[in-house]
Amino acid sequence: MKVITLLTLPFAAALAGAVTFKGCKHKVKESIHGPPHGWHEQAPAPKHHILELKIALPQPKFPELEKHLWEISDPSHARYGAYLSKEETEELMAPHPETLDIVSEWLALHGLGEGDVIRSSARDWVTIRVPVGLAEEMLDTTYYVYTHTETGESIVRTTRYSLPDVLHNHVDLIQPTTMFARFKAFKTTVHKHNQIHAAVSHRPGEPGKTITGPAGNPVNASCNEIITLSCLRQLYNAEDYKSNAKNHNKLGLTGYLEQYANDRDLQRFYEAQNPPAHGSNYTLISINGGQNLQNYKEAGLEANLDTQFGFGLAWPTPGTFYTTGGKPPFIPDAATPNNTNEPYSQWLEYMHRHHDIPQTISTSYGDDEQSVPYTYATRVCAGMASLGARGVTLLFSSGDDGVGDNNPDPATQKCKSHDGKTKFLPTFPASCPYVTTVGGTTNIPEVASNFSAGGFSNYFARPAYQDAAVSEYLEKLGPDTYKGLYNSSGRAFPDVAAQSTYFYIIYQNQSNPIDGTSCAAPSFAAFVAMLNDARINANKAPLGFLNPFLYSTGYKALNDITEGHNPGCGTKGFNASVGWDPVTGYGTPDFKKLKDLVLSMP
């Protein structure tokens, strides 16, 4: 088990002077024992199939960037809110000049000149498009087509690759090679129309029975049957807050895996739940050829959910929807140069290249941490840190599988680590210590949703900001509970939570309730966007990376969730409890309390 803090990432203290590749032997750079559970080798990949290889070069100044992040995100530090510029972060992400030279020399040996190379803005990622045959020569490997048993999807991958030994200190990783991740949207259920007919007939805001919300305020009783924008504003104490549309505050939502946000569905949703927003729209940004097709049959549940609740709650704060092209699983076709990379690196590169980016961004996609190579996970996580250093709040849904597969039955559970043992399965990027992870709740009074993913990373060490809170929970849990099933010293998640069941959306011109932590993340993000609105109006900096604030003082303005658990891997999973827990984090937002708290900070 590898557990590190990114401050300890190695980089060669002394780089080679004049480099020659003549007679230089290849040495294994990365390998896995075999394809992960569920994947099976089919046949050698076609030699002329095109791969888009992304090469990550070391960032020797990352520890300095991380130090900046901790200081400017800590409300008690004198530098709180003094975020870095795009240029300053790029300088701290840049590789050593000699690394650039030696990697360019290696590429030239294989016929790849500067015109064949795409470099990121910080020059820390190199992208090349090459046929499988050339990639195999460069990496001393053989690519195969692998097929997933359950879905029938196929990808081109290898289980090991090598580099000339002189290159090892100059390259962090190359993908796609050993990564078999199947990034997915975290939505669990779409309910049948007849299940919601009675609930929908009780219109949002219609007078009726009330129940008491966590802030002591009245909440429409229908919110225990179906969640609307009005329900969330009532429940989380934000009914009277009006955002400013012209203070340069923005909310960003990400779309992957051909998830398209349907504009007609959005307008119908606004008409039903937020009439003043009807006729308004969002900014669409395409990354890597991403589309946003508008046929009803192309509408995406995830994209519709995110835009309707994220933008609907935060309105009139301007919204940006990023649609990123490419998804890992595909059916190989030698005539079609499909992009077989996962999409996070594409999105991160785009964000790093631009000055004007939203202050709050929500993402509802991920996969089992173990399906993502350790080197790749740490590098993508470092990219998240660089956005935090620029003052961006990144929120990710925790996932919908409890502690692993959401199955409490020991006889049928499917939680297997790569060594074949039963272990809890944390999710990524939810496990990254530089993002805020959102779990799920249900009902009023709120309890944990039983699918709310949470636990402890096997890749990332527990950051200092959560040490006291997590230690307190582990002491209550006891050292023998689930011993050997999880890594008690790992980064613990989620950090916070929000409602995650029976969200009333419009999908393909029909009303549908939907469940999942995909409901929780954009909702919590919308409240963060409102908090940023309040701070910007008061001439204060946006909140940026939230976790140091949440774990030091912010938790006092959250509604603690103390009931429920997240089963999986043949167990009942972890339990919600007083204080932080690995099911709902510190709990759900009380906007008025949070607003008062963030306005009291520098």
Side-chain angles (χ1 to χ4, degrees):
M1 179 183 297
K2 295 180 177 177
V3 178
I4 66 159
T5 172
L6 294 187
L7 276 170
T8 64
L9 285 173
F11 185 80
L15 294 167
V19 175
T20 176
F21 288 89
K22 186 176 181 180
C24 190
K25 293 183 178 180
H26 276 69
K27 186 170 66 175
V28 173
K29 177 66 177 176
E30 193 164 6
S31 66
I32 57 178
H33 294 300
H37 179 74
W39 290 100
H40 299 280
E41 180 185 310
Q42 298 299 312
K47 299 296 182 186
H48 43 289
H49 176 79
I50 300 297
L51 291 173
E52 186 172 278
L53 292 181
K54 301 191 77 65
I55 306 167
L57 309 184
Q59 301 169 322
K61 294 182 180 179
F62 180 80
E64 186 180 343
L65 187 152
E66 188 184 46
K67 182 174 182 290
H68 282 292
L69 177 65
W70 297 141
E71 291 178 355
I72 60 186
S73 305
D74 181 357
S76 66
H77 198 280
R79 293 186 61 218
Y80 179 66
Y83 301 121
L84 304 183
S85 68
K86 169 183 176 292
E87 291 74 19
E88 288 169 332
T89 56
E90 284 177 345
E91 183 180 342
L92 297 174
M93 295 162 63
H96 192 284
E98 197 159 357
T99 289
L100 296 172
D101 291 341
I102 188 173
V103 171
S104 294
E105 182 181 342
W106 174 63
L107 294 173
L109 286 176
H110 293 280
L112 299 168
E114 198 60 30
D116 304 305
V117 171
I118 300 172
R119 298 187 187 274
S120 62
S121 59
R123 301 175 69 81
D124 57 328
W125 284 91
V126 174
T127 302
I128 56 174
R129 292 172 59 84
V130 295
V132 165
L134 179 55
E136 291 178 335
E137 177 187 328
M138 296 173 70
L139 306 180
D140 190 26
T141 191
T142 302
Y143 277 90
Y144 290 89
V145 176
Y146 292 88
T147 300
H148 195 268
T149 304
E150 291 183 9
T151 65
E153 295 165 317
S154 296
I155 56 176
V156 171
R157 293 292 187 270
T158 182
T159 56
R160 62 185 288 166
Y161 68 95
S162 301
L163 292 172
D165 54 10
V166 73
L167 267 183
H168 275 237
N169 287 329
H170 299 277
V171 172
D172 276 350
L173 64 99
I174 299 178
Q175 291 292 348
T177 50
T178 58
M179 182 162 63
F180 288 76
R182 298 176 58 247
F183 289 94
K184 55 186 179 288
F186 289 138
K187 58 185 183 342
T188 62
T189 309
V190 178
H191 301 281
K192 301 296 183 183
H193 299 306
N194 60 7
Q195 290 179 282
I196 67 160
H197 186 74
V200 173
S201 67
H202 195 108
R203 301 288 294 178
E206 180 183 345
K209 284 188 173 183
T210 62
I211 51 181
T212 302
N217 57 318
V219 176
N220 196 309
S222 67
C223 297
N224 248 333
E225 300 171 325
I226 201 79
I227 291 293
T228 63
L229 297 179
S230 177
C231 287
L232 292 174
R233 280 187 170 264
Q234 292 174 60
L235 184 62
Y236 297 140
N237 207 11
E239 274 194 284
D240 299 328
Y241 189 78
K242 305 297 182 187
S243 295
N244 182 343
K246 298 179 180 179
N247 60 3
H248 304 291
N249 184 38
K250 290 188 289 188
L251 171 64
L253 303 172
T254 64
Y256 301 102
L257 310 181
E258 298 175 358
Q259 279 283 324
Y260 307 135
N262 188 272
D263 294 340
R264 284 179 291 173
D265 283 345
L266 178 63
Q267 294 305 319
R268 188 175 172 212
F269 177 86
Y270 282 163
E271 201 170 16
Q273 296 201 33
N274 190 356
H278 185 256
S280 68
N281 214 324
Y282 53 87
T283 299
L284 178 70
I285 293 181
S286 170
I287 300 172
N288 192 41
Q291 301 182 74
N292 197 36
L293 303 179
Q294 289 301 302
N295 296 330
Y296 270 135
K297 67 177 183 179
E298 304 285 355
L301 274 168
E302 179 63 52
N304 275 16
L305 166 64
D306 289 349
T307 53
Q308 290 172 23
F309 271 86
F311 296 151
L313 270 173
W315 184 87
T317 296
T320 301
F321 182 64
Y322 297 94
T323 174
T324 302
K327 62 177 184 177
F330 78 108
I331 306 300
D333 178 354
T336 305
N338 289 317
N339 170 27
T340 57
N341 259 336
E342 64 73 44
Y344 287 129
S345 59
Q346 303 278 1
W347 180 79
L348 279 169
E349 283 187 37
Y350 179 91
M351 301 303 287
H352 291 151
R353 283 199 305 268
H354 289 79
H355 286 89
D356 185 18
I357 56 179
Q359 296 90 337
T360 310
I361 301 174
S362 175
T363 299
S364 298
Y365 300 78
D367 202 358
D368 294 343
E369 186 183 69
Q370 69 171 1
S371 73
V372 183
Y374 168 77
T375 54
Y376 186 86
T378 55
R379 187 52 183 265
V380 165
C381 189
M384 308 288 186
S386 67
L387 290 179
R390 290 176 59 182
V392 178
T393 302
L394 295 174
L395 299 106
F396 283 80
S397 50
S398 69
D400 294 344
D401 289 324
V403 293
D405 63 356
N406 215 204
N407 181 4
D409 186 352
T412 58
Q413 63 87 16
K414 296 181 179 179
C415 297
K416 298 294 180 186
S417 61
H418 289 324
D419 60 7
K421 296 179 181 178
T422 296
K423 289 184 180 177
F424 292 168
L425 302 176
T427 49
F428 179 83
S431 63
C432 172
Y434 309 124
V435 305
T436 299
T437 303
V438 187
T441 64
T442 186
N443 300 336
I444 307 168
E446 289 184 283
V447 299
S449 294
N450 65 1
F451 53 74
S452 182
F456 301 81
S457 173
N458 290 320
Y459 285 175
F460 302 103
R462 184 194 308 156
Y465 63 72
Q466 66 171 188
D467 198 40
V470 175
S471 295
E472 183 178 338
Y473 177 84
L474 291 175
E475 186 175 345
K476 290 185 289 187
L477 182 68
D480 294 327
T481 304
Y482 303 143
K483 187 174 183 179
L485 293 179
Y486 73 100
N487 170 35
S488 62
S489 64
R491 188 281 204 248
F493 69 99
D495 304 298
V496 293
Q499 284 278 321
S500 60
T501 60
Y502 281 92
F503 271 50
Y504 169 32
I505 70 166
I506 302 296
Y507 173 64
Q508 296 181 344
N509 203 32
Q510 300 285 334
S511 57
N512 285 273
I514 188 170
D515 295 351
T517 54
S518 280
C519 302
S523 299
F524 200 101
F527 287 106
V528 174
M530 291 184 223
L531 294 173
N532 277 334
D533 176 80
R535 281 184 60 87
I536 292 170
N537 290 340
N539 295 315
K540 295 175 182 282
L543 290 167
F545 176 44
L546 281 181
N547 291 8
F549 157 67
L550 291 172
Y551 283 85
S552 59
T553 58
Y555 70 90
K556 299 173 185 176
L558 298 175
N559 307 310
D560 194 9
I561 310 301
T562 60
E563 293 185 30
H565 52 91
N566 55 354
C569 307
T571 74
K572 287 182 64 176
F574 296 111
N575 61 292
S577 68
V578 174
W580 180 91
D581 59 71
V583 191
T584 60
Y586 263 126
T588 60
D590 183 322
F591 178 77
K592 188 177 185 306
K593 287 183 179 179
L594 282 167
K595 180 171 71 72
D596 291 345
L597 186 55
V598 301
L599 288 179
S600 71
M601 300 188 315

